[in-house]
Amino acid sequence: MNNEQLPIQTQLSNLIQQDFINVASSYSDNNRLNRDYVLTLIQDVSLLKKYKVSYLHNSDFNETMDILKNQLLNSLYPYDIAFVITIDYLQNSENVDFLQKFFVEIFLKTPKELFIDIFFIFNILCGSVKELYGYFLEYIFNNKFLILDENIQIDCLYKAWNLSLQVYHDNEASQFAYNELKHLFQNALNYQKTEVAFWLYYTPLHYFNAGTHRNKHEANQRFQVEIEKPLEKYIKNHIIPKYKITPNKKKVKDSSKKKVAFVMQRIIRHSTVKVLYYLMESLMKEKQDKYEFILYDLAFPESGGSDVVFIKEFEKLGLKYVNLHEKIFNNKSETYSLLEKCIKSREILIEDNIDILIGLHTRVEYMFFYLTRTAPKQIYWYHNSNDYYDVEGIDIRIAHGSTPNNFKFHVFNLLSNYNNDNDKNLEKEIARIKNSFSKNVIVLGSIGRLIKLDNNEYLETIFEIMEKRLNTVYLVCGAGDSTNIKKQVEKRGLSSRFFFIGFVDPKIYIKVIDIYLNTFPESSGESLNEFISKGGVPVILLPKEHPAMQEIFRNEWDKKYERIFAFSKKDYINLAVNLIDNNVIREKLSEENKNRLLQTSLSVKTFESFIDAINK
């Protein structure tokens, strides 16, 4: 240490000692630690590394430090644990990297159910989410991670990555984490660390890749090559032989009643599950004796499990419901063996004599079911998500809407019954939000993951529309990283007219938004359909490769601007501006949408269409 560092060392040591006095005094008065004082202490101790100085011990504090540390030594409260780690470092660990000691011990000592509080501490130690993820990788998920006890590995994976998704939305940090974690994933396969590979597969690898990438198709293609195919090979070459798993040899008999299993990741009010509900509603209305429909719920608790109220709505349809997670583990612990869940879920499905298995997602359980031949017929139901999902054992692919061109899909007709929504209970909230804007304001907006908005092509189009019509605002409804969008909005001088709402209840905001400006190149999902079903008027840019592009162009182009489909960005802008200016046209198109929905509801035969699709 040079002479220039001595004043810094003295100042920092004095500051840390004052921080400790504040913590100790507060504890003496309230019999608990003051969170803000603890955070300040941790922050100041971390500065020792920054300025490359050590702490100057003051013997006057040793006894008080020991007393307070010993009183809190067995506490499970995150701030108590963080305080004890920090004091222990000051007393004994001058030659140890404070951040390394802090991260390692905080991961090992803090209970998983309380760990989310630790992210508030992480925030003061790291300048960015990317820096935090860098510390995770450097101190926890390094070369030594794979030699840890398996339960500790699962616990750390859950704490770091599942919980970070609940706290942060940062696309750059997520892409960084994906590129680093895929090496850990590859090593886990090489060293046959199955639980590590399985826990990494979907969260975080799948979400950090596709959920934060501006080009979903590129992301899915990359994921297939780098993650899915290696994992598929691992299950085939290692898991199946090791556990002596043999394919289900059952044959489907046309004369017998067929059991159809819908395997859902969890039952929540998400667009995918709501679509499933609308299908079940249609299927269960039919009086027939050829099919039995069963809903199997993986109910993964690491993301909060399933919605009990929504489950009851499924059961009211007369549908048999099976909670696979509860049946296997009989608890709601956030951490568990994914391999055990895969094997035992498969056993349950086989014991239940399932004829047709329909997977509605791409978690590792589905890959396991397909590869091990769990049912005589195995189906992947595509929900406009992973268009490159291709696992050995998928017999047919079905879809209820537009489909990609890289696989053959059997499409069935499904009319979503949004009329079940209890709008009366929402009217006050809808009115409150609408009344927060001036009467002459036209509310533009979209609903969905923010990554769909986060591209210059779409944003520039929206900016041009709003600059042409100053009586507009835009509601950004959905979760995700808003950093880049806000920068672009601010740069354009439109910050006062953009409102970032966050995750919303679509039933409310489809009534708040006057004109739904559908995102492109990646379209909105079920919220757009729900908006149209309620008579809403959107503007939709049809991609050139859309299968119905030519037909719609022939039927719609001569309508000038009395239509909702646009055929170019310039056309999109002109349509939007015309709808903003002309309330009469908006009302006319609204009635047309309602009538079209009514006519469709009279002609759609969901049951016949679905049965035909799954029997191809």
Side-chain angles (χ1 to χ4, degrees):
M1 183 188 303
N2 57 47
N3 291 333
E4 292 179 357
Q5 289 176 299
L6 284 173
I8 296 175
Q9 183 185 31
T10 302
Q11 289 175 22
L12 263 182
S13 298
N14 290 338
L15 196 60
I16 290 168
Q17 288 159 14
Q18 183 58 54
D19 292 339
F20 175 74
I21 292 171
N22 293 339
V23 172
S25 299
S26 175
Y27 184 82
S28 176
D29 294 338
N30 302 298
N31 202 32
R32 65 178 181 179
L33 296 183
N34 180 291
R35 292 171 56 151
D36 292 335
Y37 290 155
V38 173
L39 289 175
T40 303
L41 172 65
I42 294 169
Q43 189 172 32
D44 290 341
V45 171
S46 71
L47 293 176
L48 293 170
K49 178 180 180 180
K50 178 180 178 180
Y51 291 104
K52 299 179 181 179
V53 297
S54 59
Y55 171 66
L56 293 174
H57 289 271
N58 185 332
S59 57
D60 294 342
F61 291 97
N62 287 345
E63 184 178 356
T64 308
M65 281 184 172
D66 285 336
I67 292 172
L68 192 51
K69 186 176 75 171
N70 289 332
Q71 286 183 355
L72 299 171
L73 201 57
N74 296 319
S75 172
L76 298 178
Y77 182 60
Y79 282 82
D80 294 351
I81 295 171
F83 174 76
V84 170
I85 293 170
T86 305
I87 295 302
D88 186 61
Y89 168 79
L90 292 174
Q91 290 181 319
N92 306 307
S93 308
E94 289 186 17
N95 296 323
V96 176
D97 183 331
F98 171 65
L99 288 179
Q100 181 176 7
K101 176 181 174 64
F102 188 87
F103 272 86
V104 170
E105 294 195 20
I106 209 78
F107 261 85
L108 296 178
K109 293 179 178 179
T110 307
K112 58 181 178 290
E113 57 271 18
L114 299 175
F115 195 83
I116 201 161
D117 285 346
I118 293 297
F119 283 88
F120 294 102
I121 301 176
F122 289 154
N123 286 342
I124 69 162
L125 292 174
C126 307
S128 66
V129 180
K130 183 178 178 181
E131 184 181 4
L132 172 62
Y133 288 174
Y135 286 139
F136 281 177
L137 293 159
E138 180 181 358
Y139 298 137
I140 309 299
F141 302 97
N142 50 34
N143 293 333
K144 297 179 181 179
F145 180 73
L146 292 179
I147 65 174
L148 296 175
D149 176 80
E150 189 175 84
N151 290 324
I152 294 176
Q153 290 171 338
I154 295 172
D155 195 60
C156 288
L157 286 165
Y158 167 74
K159 287 174 178 177
W161 306 114
N162 284 73
L163 291 179
S164 69
L165 292 178
Q166 298 179 34
V167 180
Y168 302 119
H169 297 291
D170 188 311
N171 294 345
E172 182 187 2
S174 297
Q175 288 295 314
F176 163 75
Y178 170 81
N179 286 319
E180 295 299 320
L181 284 172
K182 70 183 180 185
H183 301 302
L184 178 64
F185 173 80
Q186 289 157 0
N187 285 333
L189 296 182
N190 292 337
Y191 291 100
Q192 298 182 1
K193 299 295 182 180
T194 301
E195 292 296 345
V196 174
F198 277 18
W199 271 86
L200 282 172
Y201 168 68
Y202 190 77
T203 307
L205 284 174
H206 187 277
Y207 180 82
F208 280 169
N209 174 54
T212 62
H213 198 289
R214 289 184 174 87
N215 189 317
K216 181 182 70 174
H217 304 292
E218 282 183 11
N220 286 334
Q221 192 171 21
R222 176 176 72 167
F223 190 73
Q224 183 195 46
V225 173
E226 295 178 343
I227 307 299
E228 280 179 345
K229 285 304 173 184
L231 183 58
E232 181 179 352
K233 182 179 178 181
Y234 176 79
I235 293 173
K236 286 170 61 179
N237 295 343
H238 174 67
I239 298 295
I240 291 176
K242 180 178 179 179
Y243 293 93
K244 299 178 181 178
I245 299 170
T246 57
N248 184 354
K249 297 291 182 66
K250 179 188 175 183
K251 301 294 182 183
V252 179
K253 296 180 180 179
D254 292 334
S255 59
S256 61
K257 189 173 187 177
K258 297 182 180 68
K259 286 189 173 184
V260 182
F262 292 87
V263 183
M264 195 66 201
Q265 54 175 348
R266 59 181 178 139
I267 307 300
I268 56 172
R269 294 186 189 277
H270 182 271
S271 58
T272 305
V273 194
K274 288 196 284 186
V275 167
L276 174 63
Y277 180 84
Y278 300 136
L279 174 63
M280 291 293 97
E281 193 175 37
S282 296
L283 297 181
M284 298 305 290
K285 284 178 181 176
E286 296 293 326
K287 303 297 182 183
Q288 53 81 35
D289 57 2
K290 293 184 178 180
Y291 295 90
E292 178 185 357
F293 303 108
I294 307 170
L295 177 57
Y296 290 89
D297 184 7
L298 292 169
F300 54 98
E302 64 269 28
S303 293
S306 291
D307 180 346
V308 176
V309 175
F310 203 11
I311 290 170
K312 290 187 181 301
E313 291 180 28
F314 275 94
E315 290 179 320
K316 284 179 182 177
L317 298 175
L319 190 70
K320 181 181 177 182
Y321 167 81
V322 179
N323 187 318
L324 288 169
H325 190 90
E326 193 174 277
K327 196 167 185 178
I328 294 166
F329 298 106
N330 196 30
N331 63 49
K332 295 182 180 179
S333 174
E334 296 89 349
T335 54
Y336 53 91
S337 167
L338 270 171
L339 177 60
E340 181 183 0
K341 187 171 184 177
C342 287
I343 292 173
K344 290 187 176 179
S345 294
R346 179 179 185 269
E347 290 172 354
I348 291 169
L349 290 164
I350 292 174
E351 287 171 6
D352 286 354
N353 211 23
I354 295 302
D355 295 293
I356 301 173
L357 183 151
I358 301 177
L360 288 91
H361 215 267
T362 57
R363 278 173 58 93
V364 70
E365 294 94 331
Y366 297 98
M367 180 183 286
F368 186 87
F369 296 154
Y370 293 136
L371 284 170
T372 58
R373 179 53 64 182
T374 301
K377 178 174 281 189
Q378 301 182 147
I379 298 173
Y380 169 52
W381 182 357
Y382 172 72
H383 283 268
N384 195 31
S385 52
N386 190 346
D387 51 346
Y388 281 90
Y389 189 63
D390 183 26
V391 176
E392 184 180 316
I394 295 176
D395 299 316
I396 63 173
R397 293 170 170 81
I398 62 173
H400 62 285
S402 60
T403 59
N405 299 321
N406 47 341
F407 294 109
K408 182 179 180 181
F409 286 86
H410 300 287
V411 180
F412 63 93
N413 299 321
L414 175 61
L415 184 67
S416 299
N417 182 12
Y418 301 108
N419 292 325
N420 284 343
D421 298 334
N422 190 359
D423 291 341
K424 289 184 179 180
N425 295 331
L426 306 174
E427 286 177 0
K428 286 185 179 179
E429 179 63 10
I430 293 166
R432 184 192 68 78
I433 299 170
K434 291 285 283 185
N435 291 336
S436 66
F437 302 107
S438 301
K439 287 186 177 181
N440 68 324
V441 166
I442 301 297
V443 179
L444 312 175
S446 62
I447 303 172
R449 291 180 295 114
L450 298 194
I451 193 68
K452 295 182 179 183
L453 280 76
D454 195 2
N455 69 83
N456 291 335
E457 192 177 17
Y458 177 75
L459 288 175
E460 284 295 325
T461 303
I462 302 306
F463 295 158
E464 190 168 340
I465 292 168
M466 296 181 71
E467 286 168 350
K468 286 178 179 290
R469 293 298 179 265
L470 302 181
N471 63 326
T472 57
V473 296
Y474 189 102
L475 304 189
V476 183
C477 304
D481 184 357
S482 62
T483 307
N484 183 60
I485 303 172
K486 287 180 177 177
K487 283 181 181 177
Q488 298 298 324
V489 169
E490 185 177 0
K491 187 177 178 181
R492 205 62 173 253
L494 293 169
S495 296
S496 63
R497 294 166 60 198
F498 265 77
F499 296 86
F500 290 81
I501 312 299
F503 185 81
V504 301
D505 182 348
K507 293 194 295 292
I508 293 174
Y509 279 85
I510 60 171
K511 292 293 192 70
V512 171
I513 295 171
D514 295 311
I515 302 172
Y516 193 115
L517 297 180
N518 189 35
T519 52
F520 59 81
E522 187 176 351
S523 172
S524 293
E526 198 61 23
S527 294
L528 173 62
N529 297 331
E530 192 169 353
F531 178 81
I532 295 172
S533 76
K534 296 296 185 182
V537 180
V539 179
I540 302 170
L541 177 62
L542 284 180
K544 292 179 180 178
E545 65 274 13
H546 193 284
M549 174 68 162
Q550 295 303 320
E551 181 183 353
I552 293 174
F553 182 83
R554 286 194 301 270
N555 295 335
E556 298 280 329
W557 181 250
D558 60 352
K559 293 182 180 180
K560 294 186 178 179
Y561 295 130
E562 294 185 18
R563 51 189 165 84
I564 64 174
F565 293 109
F567 304 104
S568 67
K569 281 179 283 185
K570 182 179 179 181
D571 190 35
Y572 186 102
I573 292 168
N574 289 336
L575 276 183
V577 169
N578 189 63
L579 289 172
I580 292 167
D581 291 345
N582 200 320
N583 186 52
V584 174
I585 292 179
R586 287 208 308 275
E587 290 181 354
K588 178 183 176 182
L589 289 174
S590 175
E591 286 303 312
E592 286 181 3
N593 285 343
K594 290 177 183 177
N595 291 333
R596 188 182 299 114
L597 184 69
L598 177 61
Q599 293 301 317
T600 304
S601 67
L602 296 174
S603 61
V604 166
K605 296 182 178 179
T606 298
F607 180 85
E608 292 85 349
S609 175
F610 176 76
I611 295 301
D612 183 59
I614 66 173
N615 281 304
K616 293 292 186 182

